[in-house]
Amino acid sequence: MATIQIQPRLGKGDMNDPHKRHDSEPTTHFGFQDVPESQKAEKVAEVFHSVAAKYDLMNDVLSGGMHRLWKRFTIELSGVRNGNRVLDIAGGTGDLTRKFASLVGPTGEVVLADINESMLKVGRDRLLDKGVAGNVKFVQADAEKLPFPDNHFDVVTIAFGLRNVTHKEDALRSMLRVLKPGGRLLVLEFSKPSSDLLSKFYDAYSFRFMPLAGKLITNDADSYRYLAESIRMHPDQDTLKAMMIDAGFERVTYHNMTGGIVALHRGIKP
Ligand SMILES: C[S@@+](CC[C@H](N)C(=O)[O-])C[C@H]1O[C@@H](n2cnc3c(N)ncnc32)[C@H](O)[C@@H]1O
């Protein structure tokens, strides 16, 4: 029986209370809002607690099924083989994990890790329903502080997760640490469309259709407005490439998909 290693939710009276604000505290963006850094994770958590139950349906509706192709390319480029150890961080409902589990076989291992227990529970139930078990572990973890040994994984993936992380540089360094030398990181994320015409169409689609679809299907326009805003605030292709190199990755490359709406970055641990 697959278990999830769950951590308690932070209460308002806890140490490091995210509701306490120090005037000197740096701020960061939550979509287009500026918020104290200590509050971003909690706000992101609210979004994913809210969308978890209908996450897969909304993925298909909003991307017109395209997310399946973007993920298929990620799997191809990962080069995952029989016996590998793979970490799918921010793995959510487990699309990548499911495919990796069949590629690594019974001698390999896949860890689906996510900070959000609602997403993890939907992911675990879904994978168990599909008969995936045995070589998959479910772990509640923050990408910034991965609770795994050094030099442990052959491949680490983060799909549509990095833009939600408060300290992206810390997360990239944490992913580097847990990879074996020669291991590969794949970052699948929304990015910057390469043509102005596509950008205009995409803006109209994101800021009008996405919140409307969120309201009609999940009665939650705000989460889908955050989705559109967080995509615009995420580093573009070359900025993310530079961040991966700064974190210590080598041979960093990226591939644009769907005109740059999505990009897949890959880097190797020296
Ligand atoms: C848009 S979903 C992507 C899920 C899945 N990877 C996919 O492609 O369908 C983003 C996921 O990132 C997770 N997440 C956000 N911040 C995180 C963090 N700091 N560490 C780990 N996971 C995080 C969320 O809980 C959510 O499940």
Side-chain angles (χ1 to χ4, degrees), residues 182-212:
R184 306 170 289 290
L185 168 67
L186 290 111
V187 182
L188 179 65
E189 192 49 272
F190 292 106
S191 206
K192 192 165 187 291
S194 32
S195 96
D196 288 346
L197 190 64
L198 182 59
S199 280
K200 282 199 182 111
F201 166 78
Y202 184 48
D203 275 351
Y205 174 85
S206 309
F207 292 108
R208 293 194 188 162
F209 177 70
M210 277 165 46
L212 179 68

Side-chain angles (χ1 to χ4, degrees), residues 95-232:
D95 280 349
L96 291 181
T97 292
R98 182 177 164 213
K99 187 69 189 158
F100 287 141
S102 77
L103 288 173
V104 303
T107 59
E109 182 184 76
V110 185
V111 178
L112 191 169
D114 198 289
I115 200 168
N116 188 289
E117 72 243 46
S118 304
M119 292 293 282
L120 263 183
K121 279 188 184 142
V122 173
R124 184 197 55 176
D125 291 351
R126 179 177 174 233
L127 294 197
L128 290 178
D129 283 352
K130 292 188 186 289
V132 178
N135 60 357
V136 178
K137 273 194 197 147
F138 300 85
V139 177
Q140 191 181 14
D142 184 344
E144 293 181 22
K145 297 172 232 108
L146 292 170
F148 306 108
D150 295 356
N151 307 321
H152 191 69
F153 293 101
D154 299 284
V155 172
V156 174
T157 54
I158 180 163
F160 305 110
L162 191 62
R163 71 175 187 284
N164 299 298
V165 173
T166 309
H167 303 103
K168 295 174 184 43
E169 290 85 356
D170 291 350
L172 290 171
R173 277 193 291 271
S174 189
M175 293 181 227
L176 183 80
R177 180 184 65 72
V178 301
L179 271 171
K180 294 176 185 172
R184 306 170 289 290
L185 168 67
L186 290 111
V187 182
L188 179 65
E189 192 49 272
F190 292 106
S191 206
K192 192 165 187 291
S194 32
S195 96
D196 288 346
L197 190 64
L198 182 59
S199 280
K200 282 199 182 111
F201 166 78
Y202 184 48
D203 275 351
Y205 174 85
S206 309
F207 292 108
R208 293 194 188 162
F209 177 70
M210 277 165 46
L212 179 68
K215 181 154 178 50
L216 293 177
I217 300 174
T218 68
N219 199 23
D220 177 4
D222 287 347
S223 293
Y224 290 91
R225 194 166 299 115
Y226 163 73
L227 170 64
E229 293 179 2
S230 67
I231 290 170
R232 297 310 183 282

